[in-house]
Amino acid sequence: MERTKIIDAIKHYQEIGKTISVKGWVRTKRGNNSVAFIALNDGSIVHNIQIVVDLANFDETLIKQITTGACIHVIGKLVESQGKGQSVEIQAFEIELYGSADPESYPLQKKGHSVEFLREIGHLRPRTNFFGCVLRLRHAMAFAIHQYFNDKGFFYMHTPLITASDAEGAGEMFNVTTMDLNNIPKIDGKVDYSQDFFGKPVSLTVSGQLEGELGALALGGIYTCGPTFRAENSNTPRHLAEFWMIEPEVAFNDITDNMNLAEDFIKSLVKYALEHNMDDLQFLNDMFDKELIERLNFVVNNDFIRLPYTEAIDILLNSHVKFEYKVEWGVDLQSEHERYLVEQHFKKPVILTDYPKDIKAFYMKQNDDGRTVRAMDVLFPKIGEIIGGSEREESYEKLLRRIQELHIPEKDIWWYLETRKFGSAPHSGFGLGFERLLLFVTGMTNIRDVIPFPRTPQNAEF
Ligand code: 4AD
Ligand code: MG
């Protein structure tokens, strides 16, 4: 008999009265001497389906082995539920045990484990309701991203993970090599990269942007969606060493078009979650964050504030708040500053523009004032920076001068410069941190809880 997913059994009432087959993992079993109630979950939806077992019809040793965590196959009749809290249940005719889970050693015996404990059992964490919600929302957001750009005529471009250029210029890259680290070939005391796999030093990418620009300047609008890697040693609730980034890049867009795209993009993703994942959102709202759904609706329904960096600095200076990090024109804003602007001052998402050039990457379009660039960061409540982007410098001369000022080796970046030599065009783009988006959409407060296998300093177990 074909398996029915629990989501279909719960949501499709035309099946009532039918004999169906369901398979899943036992969340709980309770009951008395004559009847057992099994809450079964198969991951298709956060809700369990109740299996009603008339003990007179089943082997006692089989029933004993059906404990929390066990995997079973049930054939039975789908009926309207007598009990409270569920709409349908299954009266079991046959039960097959696929895999037991020893109650003495199964770590998810009890309900209500802390998210910190669950991180330590990353291999079993997907079996919890909370992480099931996170994984389903991750999928939904990934799907919505592709749908959004496809509908807008953007092309999905695959940019390389192994690269010779440091796109953000922050020097936080993981080296990639096949050399024997215990026996590194050297010439005059320096590593002889000519003997390495690619014949030169290469790293894992920190961003697909530079290659994405090559696509935008040919196809008009592209986006990337892939893993990026940063070896920054910041053990914070918002940083991962391996995270996913979505980077649209659009020819002929200026910074205003770029801001419009970013705002519309995020709003439509949040709207998608509200329209398609309400069961998961309601669970997370009830269990973790009572204001989650309200916050999501707020973002969808309100315009983002747009403000130059210089004005933001004035607001922070006039706030008379004692920040841990000093505020003055020229500093890179810390999360405490970003969150003050978003959560206390404006109480809305904020897009900050026109940052000092010295704290931003080399490729950003230089403003006429000589000291700022056409950068834009989107700041979100509870998160801080969720998007970073800019209009790009399209002038060959200005870009070359900036590359030289920052001592970026031209031999690594000549191909990027050539886009400004041949048919250069105004263009803009941004990067959305996928896990930062998920922090917002799930209401989780630690980025380790929105990615299946977090990579952070000193941690790559699962
Ligand atoms: O601001 P970032 O560094 O911008 C870029 O990489 C540009 N090349 C993007 C572009 O214009 N195409 O990173 C973009 C976003 C940040 O706003 C943040 O959401 C996320 O990526 N991000 C991280 N997320 C998790 N862990 C980290 N270590 C992150 N670093 C950046
Ligand atoms: Mg940034």
Side-chain angles (χ1 to χ4, degrees):
M1 185 188 294
E2 204 183 323
R3 169 189 163 218
T4 299
K5 286 189 183 167
I6 289 173
I7 188 172
D8 295 328
I10 291 179
K11 301 249 160 168
H12 299 164
Y13 295 97
Q14 66 270 32
E15 307 251 305
I16 293 277
K18 264 193 174 171
T19 296
I20 62 168
S21 150
V22 294
K23 303 179 178 190
W25 292 267
V26 174
R27 286 287 202 259
T28 56
K29 187 180 76 178
R30 56 188 181 84
N32 51 41
N33 289 337
S34 57
V35 58
F37 300 101
I38 299 169
L40 196 69
N41 188 285
D42 69 358
S44 59
I45 185 170
V46 66
H47 304 300
N48 306 322
I49 197 160
Q50 173 155 283
I51 314 289
V52 184
V53 186
D54 183 349
L55 295 179
N57 303 332
F58 290 89
D59 175 36
E60 200 180 326
T61 47
L62 170 75
I63 299 299
K64 261 202 182 135
Q65 290 182 81
I66 299 176
T67 54
T68 298
C71 184
I72 60 172
H73 172 200
V74 178
I75 295 177
K77 187 169 158 188
L78 188 70
V79 297
E80 271 177 70
S81 181
Q82 320 290 309
K84 267 196 181 154
Q86 68 251 335
S87 51
V88 292
E89 60 191 24
I90 294 174
Q91 288 169 350
F93 301 149
E94 288 172 43
I95 301 179
E96 180 185 359
L97 179 70
Y98 283 141
S100 60
D102 177 16
E104 295 296 316
S105 52
Y106 182 57
L108 293 171
Q109 204 52 237
K110 294 188 290 121
K111 278 188 173 176
H113 289 294
S114 70
V115 289
E116 290 81 13
F117 170 75
L118 294 177
R119 257 175 244 152
E120 291 168 22
I121 51 163
H123 60 305
L124 294 171
R125 184 168 68 157
R127 303 263 189 101
T128 61
N129 282 336
F130 127 72
F131 211 67
C133 290
V134 168
L135 287 176
R136 281 184 295 272
L137 279 161
R138 237 188 117 93
H139 162 79
M141 290 298 89
F143 179 79
I145 284 163
H146 290 293
Q147 187 173 59
Y148 178 87
F149 286 123
N150 187 62
D151 288 352
K152 283 203 151 20
F154 284 58
F155 300 101
Y156 179 27
M157 183 162 163
H158 295 113
T159 48
L161 301 191
I162 298 176
T163 171
S165 57
D166 181 356
E168 293 303 300
E172 292 165 335
M173 304 184 81
F174 288 100
N175 298 327
V176 175
T177 180
T178 53
M179 290 190 289
D180 177 359
L181 294 185
N182 293 310
N183 187 18
I184 296 176
K186 289 191 175 168
I187 296 176
D188 299 336
K190 286 200 169 154
V191 178
D192 178 12
Y193 281 104
S194 71
Q195 294 193 45
D196 201 356
F197 190 91
F198 295 103
K200 61 176 178 177
V202 292
S203 312
L204 292 177
T205 188
V206 295
S207 157
Q209 177 196 325
L210 302 191
E211 296 88 351
E213 285 185 49
L214 310 184
L217 294 174
L219 303 182
I222 62 93
Y223 69 104
T224 73
C225 175
T228 44
F229 307 87
R230 297 201 183 173
E232 51 191 332
N233 200 358
S234 38
N235 234 328
T236 81
R238 279 166 291 100
H239 288 88
L240 289 164
E242 177 181 296
F243 63 98
W244 287 65
M245 204 184 340
I246 297 91
E247 296 183 275
E249 193 69 37
V250 195
F252 317 119
N253 266 10
D254 65 12
I255 192 168
T256 305
D257 303 320
N258 208 32
M259 288 192 277
N260 292 344
L261 180 65
E263 182 168 341
D264 185 60
F265 177 47
I266 296 213
K267 282 182 172 170
S268 76
L269 295 181
V270 175
K271 206 161 154 221
Y272 185 96
L274 286 165
E275 282 170 5
H276 295 86
N277 290 72
M278 211 31 162
D279 287 328
D280 294 325
L281 293 177
Q282 194 65 56
F283 179 86
L284 294 169
N285 192 91
D286 295 346
M287 302 300 288
F288 292 95
D289 181 348
K290 298 275 183 274
E291 284 155 18
L292 173 64
I293 293 174
E294 191 186 317
R295 214 161 44 242
L296 298 182
N297 277 312
F298 183 84
V299 160
V300 169
N301 294 321
N302 284 279
D303 289 342
F304 297 2
I305 300 284
R306 299 177 184 194
L307 183 80
Y309 167 94
T310 302
E311 286 178 34
I313 291 291
D314 288 341
I315 291 172
L316 291 169
L317 287 173
N318 290 326
S319 71
H320 304 296
V321 175
K322 267 208 152 39
F323 294 110
E324 190 185 337
Y325 291 88
K326 191 173 171 205
V327 178
E328 59 186 334
W329 199 94
V331 298
D332 206 357
L333 295 185
Q334 301 294 324
S335 155
E336 57 173 344
H337 308 135
E338 297 174 342
R339 291 183 61 174
Y340 173 81
L341 291 169
V342 172
E343 291 165 22
Q344 314 282 324
H345 189 82
F346 289 111
K347 300 189 166 62
K348 270 182 177 191
V350 175
I351 310 183
L352 283 191
T353 60
D354 303 291
Y355 282 72
K357 71 175 193 304
D358 291 332
I359 57 169
K360 289 293 181 189
F362 72 95
Y363 50 71
M364 295 192 181
K365 187 176 171 75
Q366 296 160 34
N367 282 322
D368 292 338
D369 63 11
R371 61 175 199 161
T372 59
V373 285
R374 226 161 271 180
M376 53 157 245
D377 279 6
V378 181
L379 313 180
F380 254 49
K382 304 270 237 177
I383 314 289
E385 181 189 336
I386 193 166
I387 280 181
S390 75
E391 189 169 337
R392 317 307 188 189
E393 183 54 71
E394 82 248 30
S395 148
Y396 178 80
E397 287 75 25
K398 285 188 187 171
L399 186 61
L400 180 64
R401 210 175 315 131
R402 193 74 187 125
I403 284 173
Q404 288 166 345
E405 273 169 20
L406 294 169
H407 306 292
I408 298 168
E410 269 177 67
K411 68 172 175 32
D412 292 342
I413 204 97
W414 63 271
W415 49 270
Y416 182 74
L417 268 165
E418 286 211 343
T419 57
R420 275 59 167 178
K421 216 191 246 175
F422 308 123
S424 188
H427 63 289
S428 299
F430 60 81
L432 168 71
F434 189 53
E435 285 74 20
R436 301 254 176 110
L437 169 77
L438 278 162
L439 279 176
F440 182 71
V441 170
T442 61
M444 289 293 127
T445 52
N446 193 311
I447 202 160
R448 292 162 182 76
D449 298 327
V450 295
I451 185 165
F453 307 105
R455 298 289 176 257
T456 50
Q458 303 295 315
N459 173 39
E461 178 75 14
F462 306 102

Short mmCIF file of all heavy atoms in Angstrom, two decimals, residues 135-182:
data_model
loop_
_atom_site.label_atom_id
_atom_site.label_comp_id
_atom_site.label_asym_id
_atom_site.label_seq_id
_atom_site.Cartn_x
_atom_site.Cartn_y
_atom_site.Cartn_z
N LEU A 135 14.11 23.42 9.56
CA LEU A 135 14.50 22.81 8.27
C LEU A 135 13.43 23.03 7.21
O LEU A 135 13.75 23.30 6.05
CB LEU A 135 14.76 21.31 8.45
CG LEU A 135 16.06 20.96 9.18
CD1 LEU A 135 16.17 19.45 9.37
CD2 LEU A 135 17.28 21.48 8.44
N ARG A 136 12.18 22.93 7.58
CA ARG A 136 11.12 23.18 6.59
C ARG A 136 11.12 24.65 6.15
O ARG A 136 10.95 24.95 4.97
CB ARG A 136 9.74 22.77 7.15
CG ARG A 136 9.49 21.26 7.10
CD ARG A 136 8.08 20.90 7.57
NE ARG A 136 7.91 21.22 8.98
CZ ARG A 136 8.19 20.40 9.99
NH1 ARG A 136 8.63 19.18 9.75
NH2 ARG A 136 8.03 20.78 11.24
N LEU A 137 11.35 25.56 7.10
CA LEU A 137 11.40 26.97 6.72
C LEU A 137 12.63 27.27 5.85
O LEU A 137 12.56 28.07 4.92
CB LEU A 137 11.42 27.85 7.98
CG LEU A 137 10.03 28.06 8.59
CD1 LEU A 137 10.13 28.53 10.04
CD2 LEU A 137 9.23 29.07 7.77
N ARG A 138 13.74 26.60 6.15
CA ARG A 138 14.95 26.77 5.31
C ARG A 138 14.64 26.37 3.88
O ARG A 138 14.98 27.06 2.93
CB ARG A 138 16.07 25.87 5.86
CG ARG A 138 17.34 26.57 6.23
CD ARG A 138 18.46 25.61 6.56
NE ARG A 138 19.54 25.79 5.61
CZ ARG A 138 20.58 26.60 5.77
NH1 ARG A 138 20.74 27.27 6.89
NH2 ARG A 138 21.48 26.74 4.83
N HIS A 139 14.00 25.23 3.75
CA HIS A 139 13.62 24.78 2.41
C HIS A 139 12.70 25.80 1.74
O HIS A 139 12.89 26.17 0.58
CB HIS A 139 12.94 23.42 2.47
CG HIS A 139 12.18 23.14 1.21
ND1 HIS A 139 12.79 22.71 0.07
CD2 HIS A 139 10.87 23.32 0.89
CE1 HIS A 139 11.90 22.62 -0.89
NE2 HIS A 139 10.73 22.98 -0.43
N ALA A 140 11.69 26.24 2.48
CA ALA A 140 10.70 27.15 1.89
C ALA A 140 11.36 28.44 1.43
O ALA A 140 11.05 28.97 0.35
CB ALA A 140 9.60 27.46 2.92
N MET A 141 12.29 28.95 2.23
CA MET A 141 12.97 30.20 1.86
C MET A 141 13.86 30.00 0.63
O MET A 141 13.93 30.84 -0.25
CB MET A 141 13.77 30.75 3.04
CG MET A 141 12.90 31.27 4.19
SD MET A 141 11.83 32.68 3.73
CE MET A 141 10.38 31.87 3.16
N ALA A 142 14.54 28.85 0.58
CA ALA A 142 15.39 28.58 -0.60
C ALA A 142 14.53 28.51 -1.85
O ALA A 142 14.86 29.09 -2.89
CB ALA A 142 16.16 27.27 -0.39
N PHE A 143 13.41 27.83 -1.74
CA PHE A 143 12.50 27.71 -2.88
C PHE A 143 11.97 29.08 -3.29
O PHE A 143 11.94 29.43 -4.47
CB PHE A 143 11.35 26.76 -2.52
CG PHE A 143 10.37 26.60 -3.64
CD1 PHE A 143 10.65 25.76 -4.70
CD2 PHE A 143 9.17 27.31 -3.65
CE1 PHE A 143 9.77 25.63 -5.76
CE2 PHE A 143 8.29 27.19 -4.70
CZ PHE A 143 8.58 26.35 -5.75
N ALA A 144 11.56 29.86 -2.29
CA ALA A 144 10.98 31.18 -2.57
C ALA A 144 12.00 32.11 -3.23
O ALA A 144 11.64 32.95 -4.05
CB ALA A 144 10.45 31.81 -1.28
N ILE A 145 13.25 31.95 -2.88
CA ILE A 145 14.32 32.77 -3.48
C ILE A 145 14.41 32.48 -4.97
O ILE A 145 14.42 33.39 -5.81
CB ILE A 145 15.66 32.49 -2.77
CG1 ILE A 145 15.68 33.18 -1.40
CG2 ILE A 145 16.84 32.97 -3.63
CD1 ILE A 145 16.74 32.67 -0.45
N HIS A 146 14.47 31.21 -5.32
CA HIS A 146 14.57 30.86 -6.74
C HIS A 146 13.31 31.30 -7.50
O HIS A 146 13.38 31.80 -8.62
CB HIS A 146 14.83 29.37 -6.92
CG HIS A 146 16.20 28.96 -6.47
ND1 HIS A 146 17.34 29.38 -7.13
CD2 HIS A 146 16.64 28.21 -5.44
CE1 HIS A 146 18.41 28.89 -6.52
NE2 HIS A 146 18.00 28.18 -5.48
N GLN A 147 12.17 31.12 -6.86
CA GLN A 147 10.92 31.52 -7.51
C GLN A 147 10.88 33.03 -7.73
O GLN A 147 10.50 33.50 -8.81
CB GLN A 147 9.73 31.09 -6.64
CG GLN A 147 8.41 31.32 -7.33
CD GLN A 147 7.27 30.74 -6.50
OE1 GLN A 147 7.04 31.11 -5.35
NE2 GLN A 147 6.56 29.81 -7.07
N TYR A 148 11.31 33.77 -6.73
CA TYR A 148 11.29 35.23 -6.83
C TYR A 148 12.12 35.70 -8.03
O TYR A 148 11.66 36.47 -8.87
CB TYR A 148 11.84 35.85 -5.54
CG TYR A 148 11.89 37.36 -5.55
CD1 TYR A 148 10.79 38.11 -5.17
CD2 TYR A 148 13.05 38.03 -5.96
CE1 TYR A 148 10.83 39.50 -5.19
CE2 TYR A 148 13.10 39.42 -5.98
CZ TYR A 148 11.99 40.14 -5.60
OH TYR A 148 12.03 41.52 -5.63
N PHE A 149 13.35 35.22 -8.10
CA PHE A 149 14.23 35.70 -9.17
C PHE A 149 13.81 35.15 -10.54
O PHE A 149 13.90 35.85 -11.54
CB PHE A 149 15.69 35.37 -8.86
CG PHE A 149 16.26 36.25 -7.78
CD1 PHE A 149 16.81 35.70 -6.63
CD2 PHE A 149 16.25 37.63 -7.92
CE1 PHE A 149 17.34 36.51 -5.64
CE2 PHE A 149 16.77 38.46 -6.92
CZ PHE A 149 17.32 37.90 -5.78
N ASN A 150 13.36 33.94 -10.56
CA ASN A 150 12.90 33.38 -11.83
C ASN A 150 11.73 34.20 -12.37
O ASN A 150 11.70 34.55 -13.55
CB ASN A 150 12.50 31.92 -11.64
CG ASN A 150 12.17 31.25 -12.95
OD1 ASN A 150 13.02 31.13 -13.83
ND2 ASN A 150 10.93 30.84 -13.12
N ASP A 151 10.79 34.53 -11.48
CA ASP A 151 9.64 35.33 -11.91
C ASP A 151 10.06 36.70 -12.43
O ASP A 151 9.38 37.30 -13.24
CB ASP A 151 8.66 35.54 -10.74
CG ASP A 151 7.90 34.26 -10.40
OD1 ASP A 151 8.03 33.28 -11.17
OD2 ASP A 151 7.21 34.24 -9.36
N LYS A 152 11.18 37.21 -11.93
CA LYS A 152 11.64 38.54 -12.34
C LYS A 152 12.62 38.46 -13.52
O LYS A 152 13.19 39.49 -13.90
CB LYS A 152 12.34 39.23 -11.17
CG LYS A 152 11.39 39.78 -10.12
CD LYS A 152 12.07 40.90 -9.35
CE LYS A 152 11.18 41.97 -8.80
NZ LYS A 152 9.79 41.75 -8.64
N GLY A 153 12.84 37.28 -14.06
CA GLY A 153 13.71 37.16 -15.24
C GLY A 153 15.19 37.19 -14.94
O GLY A 153 16.01 37.46 -15.82
N PHE A 154 15.57 36.91 -13.68
CA PHE A 154 17.00 36.79 -13.34
C PHE A 154 17.47 35.38 -13.68
O PHE A 154 16.67 34.43 -13.65
CB PHE A 154 17.22 37.01 -11.84
CG PHE A 154 17.14 38.43 -11.38
CD1 PHE A 154 16.01 39.19 -11.59
CD2 PHE A 154 18.21 39.02 -10.70
CE1 PHE A 154 15.94 40.51 -11.14
CE2 PHE A 154 18.14 40.32 -10.24
CZ PHE A 154 17.00 41.08 -10.46
N PHE A 155 18.77 35.25 -13.92
CA PHE A 155 19.34 33.93 -14.19
C PHE A 155 20.19 33.48 -13.01
O PHE A 155 20.99 34.25 -12.48
CB PHE A 155 20.17 33.97 -15.47
CG PHE A 155 19.35 34.37 -16.67
CD1 PHE A 155 19.41 35.66 -17.17
CD2 PHE A 155 18.47 33.46 -17.26
CE1 PHE A 155 18.63 36.04 -18.26
CE2 PHE A 155 17.69 33.84 -18.34
CZ PHE A 155 17.76 35.13 -18.85
N TYR A 156 20.00 32.23 -12.62
CA TYR A 156 20.77 31.65 -11.50
C TYR A 156 22.14 31.28 -12.02
O TYR A 156 22.28 30.47 -12.92
CB TYR A 156 20.02 30.42 -10.99
CG TYR A 156 20.68 29.66 -9.85
CD1 TYR A 156 21.54 30.29 -8.96
CD2 TYR A 156 20.40 28.31 -9.65
CE1 TYR A 156 22.12 29.58 -7.92
CE2 TYR A 156 20.96 27.60 -8.61
CZ TYR A 156 21.82 28.24 -7.74
OH TYR A 156 22.38 27.55 -6.71
N MET A 157 23.16 31.89 -11.44
CA MET A 157 24.52 31.68 -11.93
C MET A 157 25.35 30.98 -10.85
O MET A 157 25.31 31.37 -9.68
CB MET A 157 25.15 33.03 -12.27
CG MET A 157 26.53 32.91 -12.84
SD MET A 157 26.94 34.45 -13.67
CE MET A 157 28.71 34.27 -13.80
N HIS A 158 26.07 29.96 -11.27
CA HIS A 158 26.93 29.23 -10.32
C HIS A 158 28.33 29.80 -10.36
O HIS A 158 29.01 29.71 -11.37
CB HIS A 158 26.95 27.74 -10.66
CG HIS A 158 25.62 27.11 -10.49
ND1 HIS A 158 24.87 26.61 -11.51
CD2 HIS A 158 24.88 26.92 -9.37
CE1 HIS A 158 23.72 26.13 -11.04
NE2 HIS A 158 23.70 26.32 -9.75
N THR A 159 28.74 30.39 -9.28
CA THR A 159 30.07 30.99 -9.20
C THR A 159 30.99 30.02 -8.44
O THR A 159 30.51 29.19 -7.68
CB THR A 159 29.98 32.36 -8.51
OG1 THR A 159 29.20 32.22 -7.33
CG2 THR A 159 29.29 33.37 -9.43
N PRO A 160 32.30 30.13 -8.65
CA PRO A 160 33.18 29.11 -8.10
C PRO A 160 33.34 29.19 -6.58
O PRO A 160 33.27 30.27 -6.00
CB PRO A 160 34.52 29.41 -8.77
CG PRO A 160 34.46 30.86 -9.09
CD PRO A 160 33.02 31.15 -9.41
N LEU A 161 33.52 28.04 -5.97
CA LEU A 161 33.80 28.00 -4.53
C LEU A 161 35.30 28.13 -4.28
O LEU A 161 35.71 28.62 -3.24
CB LEU A 161 33.27 26.71 -3.91
CG LEU A 161 31.76 26.47 -4.05
CD1 LEU A 161 31.34 25.32 -3.16
CD2 LEU A 161 30.96 27.71 -3.69
N ILE A 162 36.08 27.67 -5.24
CA ILE A 162 37.54 27.79 -5.10
C ILE A 162 37.96 28.99 -5.95
O ILE A 162 37.63 29.07 -7.13
CB ILE A 162 38.24 26.52 -5.59
CG1 ILE A 162 37.81 25.33 -4.73
CG2 ILE A 162 39.76 26.69 -5.55
CD1 ILE A 162 38.39 24.00 -5.19
N THR A 163 38.67 29.92 -5.35
CA THR A 163 38.99 31.16 -6.05
C THR A 163 40.36 31.70 -5.65
O THR A 163 40.86 31.39 -4.56
CB THR A 163 37.91 32.23 -5.77
OG1 THR A 163 38.35 33.48 -6.28
CG2 THR A 163 37.65 32.37 -4.30
N ALA A 164 40.92 32.52 -6.53
CA ALA A 164 42.21 33.14 -6.23
C ALA A 164 42.04 34.57 -5.74
O ALA A 164 43.02 35.22 -5.39
CB ALA A 164 43.11 33.10 -7.46
N SER A 165 40.79 35.09 -5.74
CA SER A 165 40.63 36.50 -5.35
C SER A 165 39.85 36.64 -4.05
O SER A 165 38.91 35.91 -3.78
CB SER A 165 39.92 37.27 -6.46
OG SER A 165 38.68 36.67 -6.75
N ASP A 166 40.26 37.61 -3.26
CA ASP A 166 39.59 37.91 -1.99
C ASP A 166 38.60 39.04 -2.25
O ASP A 166 38.94 40.22 -2.18
CB ASP A 166 40.64 38.33 -0.95
CG ASP A 166 40.01 38.63 0.40
OD1 ASP A 166 38.77 38.60 0.51
OD2 ASP A 166 40.76 38.91 1.35
N ALA A 167 37.35 38.67 -2.57
CA ALA A 167 36.37 39.65 -3.03
C ALA A 167 36.15 40.78 -2.03
O ALA A 167 36.01 41.93 -2.41
CB ALA A 167 35.04 38.96 -3.31
N GLU A 168 36.12 40.45 -0.76
CA GLU A 168 35.81 41.48 0.23
C GLU A 168 37.08 42.15 0.77
O GLU A 168 37.02 43.08 1.55
CB GLU A 168 34.99 40.89 1.37
CG GLU A 168 33.60 40.45 0.95
CD GLU A 168 32.81 41.60 0.33
OE1 GLU A 168 32.59 42.61 0.99
OE2 GLU A 168 32.42 41.48 -0.85
N GLY A 169 38.23 41.61 0.38
CA GLY A 169 39.50 42.21 0.79
C GLY A 169 39.75 42.17 2.28
O GLY A 169 40.57 42.92 2.80
N ALA A 170 39.08 41.29 2.97
CA ALA A 170 39.24 41.26 4.43
C ALA A 170 40.28 40.23 4.87
O ALA A 170 40.60 40.15 6.06
CB ALA A 170 37.90 40.98 5.09
N GLY A 171 40.79 39.46 3.92
CA GLY A 171 41.83 38.48 4.25
C GLY A 171 41.39 37.40 5.21
O GLY A 171 42.17 36.92 6.01
N GLU A 172 40.11 37.04 5.12
CA GLU A 172 39.60 36.03 6.06
C GLU A 172 39.27 34.75 5.33
O GLU A 172 38.17 34.22 5.42
CB GLU A 172 38.34 36.58 6.73
CG GLU A 172 38.64 37.73 7.67
CD GLU A 172 37.42 38.51 8.06
OE1 GLU A 172 36.42 38.51 7.31
OE2 GLU A 172 37.45 39.13 9.13
N MET A 173 40.24 34.26 4.54
CA MET A 173 39.94 33.14 3.67
C MET A 173 40.56 31.84 4.15
O MET A 173 41.63 31.83 4.76
CB MET A 173 40.41 33.48 2.26
CG MET A 173 39.79 34.78 1.76
SD MET A 173 40.24 35.16 0.07
CE MET A 173 39.12 34.14 -0.84
N PHE A 174 39.88 30.74 3.85
CA PHE A 174 40.43 29.41 4.11
C PHE A 174 41.26 28.98 2.90
O PHE A 174 40.75 28.97 1.78
CB PHE A 174 39.30 28.39 4.28
CG PHE A 174 38.53 28.53 5.56
CD1 PHE A 174 37.30 29.18 5.58
CD2 PHE A 174 39.03 28.02 6.75
CE1 PHE A 174 36.58 29.31 6.77
CE2 PHE A 174 38.33 28.14 7.93
CZ PHE A 174 37.10 28.79 7.95
N ASN A 175 42.51 28.64 3.14
CA ASN A 175 43.35 28.18 2.04
C ASN A 175 42.91 26.80 1.57
O ASN A 175 42.45 25.99 2.37
CB ASN A 175 44.81 28.08 2.49
CG ASN A 175 45.34 29.44 2.90
OD1 ASN A 175 44.94 30.46 2.34
ND2 ASN A 175 46.20 29.45 3.89
N VAL A 176 43.07 26.57 0.28
CA VAL A 176 42.77 25.25 -0.28
C VAL A 176 44.06 24.72 -0.89
O VAL A 176 44.67 25.39 -1.73
CB VAL A 176 41.70 25.35 -1.38
CG1 VAL A 176 41.48 23.99 -2.04
CG2 VAL A 176 40.39 25.87 -0.80
N THR A 177 44.48 23.55 -0.47
CA THR A 177 45.72 23.00 -1.01
C THR A 177 45.70 21.49 -0.98
O THR A 177 44.95 20.88 -0.19
CB THR A 177 46.93 23.51 -0.18
OG1 THR A 177 48.12 22.96 -0.74
CG2 THR A 177 46.84 23.09 1.28
N THR A 178 46.47 20.87 -1.85
CA THR A 178 46.68 19.43 -1.75
C THR A 178 48.10 19.13 -1.31
O THR A 178 48.53 17.99 -1.33
CB THR A 178 46.41 18.75 -3.11
OG1 THR A 178 47.20 19.41 -4.11
CG2 THR A 178 44.95 18.81 -3.50
N MET A 179 48.82 20.19 -0.93
CA MET A 179 50.21 19.97 -0.50
C MET A 179 50.23 19.23 0.83
O MET A 179 49.32 19.38 1.65
CB MET A 179 50.93 21.33 -0.36
CG MET A 179 51.19 22.01 -1.68
SD MET A 179 52.28 23.45 -1.57
CE MET A 179 51.24 24.62 -0.73
N ASP A 180 51.26 18.47 1.05
CA ASP A 180 51.44 17.78 2.32
C ASP A 180 51.91 18.81 3.35
O ASP A 180 53.02 19.33 3.27
CB ASP A 180 52.49 16.68 2.14
CG ASP A 180 52.79 15.96 3.44
OD1 ASP A 180 52.20 16.33 4.48
OD2 ASP A 180 53.62 15.02 3.42
N LEU A 181 51.05 19.10 4.31
CA LEU A 181 51.36 20.17 5.25
C LEU A 181 52.60 19.86 6.10
O LEU A 181 53.21 20.76 6.67
CB LEU A 181 50.16 20.46 6.16
CG LEU A 181 48.92 21.02 5.45
CD1 LEU A 181 47.84 21.38 6.46
CD2 LEU A 181 49.25 22.25 4.60
N ASN A 182 52.95 18.58 6.19
CA ASN A 182 54.15 18.23 6.94
C ASN A 182 55.42 18.32 6.10
O ASN A 182 56.52 18.10 6.61
CB ASN A 182 54.02 16.81 7.50
CG ASN A 182 52.93 16.76 8.55
OD1 ASN A 182 52.92 17.57 9.47
ND2 ASN A 182 52.00 15.83 8.39
#
